[in-house]
Amino acid sequence: MSVGIRHDDLRRRNRAMVISAVRRAGQPSRTEIAATTGLSHSTISAISSDLIQEGI
């Protein structure tokens, strides 16, 4: 039996991937973050917007 990943766990993992990519690259574009992480552009945009709103 396989166990699925919960939505909030996936969101936290994706957010951590984006933060890590930004730390490594300095000021990468959203396209560069997408290429580095393998996440979709819409996911990168959503996470980036959240981080900007939070002042991160």
Side-chain angles (χ1 to χ4, degrees):
M1 176 188 345
S2 66
V3 177
I5 188 166
R6 290 182 17 191
H7 183 264
D8 54 336
D9 291 337
L10 180 62
R11 187 171 178 86
R12 270 193 293 274
R13 182 186 67 104
N14 289 348
R15 180 181 166 110
M17 287 172 55
V18 169
I19 291 170
S20 179
V22 170
R23 284 182 176 156
R24 280 192 309 272
Q27 292 184 336
S29 68
R30 292 179 185 195
T31 300
E32 291 169 325
I33 296 169
T36 300
T37 62
L39 297 172
S40 71
H41 290 278
S42 60
T43 298
I44 299 299
S45 289
I47 293 171
S48 297
S49 293
D50 290 346
L51 292 172
I52 291 167
Q53 278 186 320
E54 294 169 22
I56 298 175

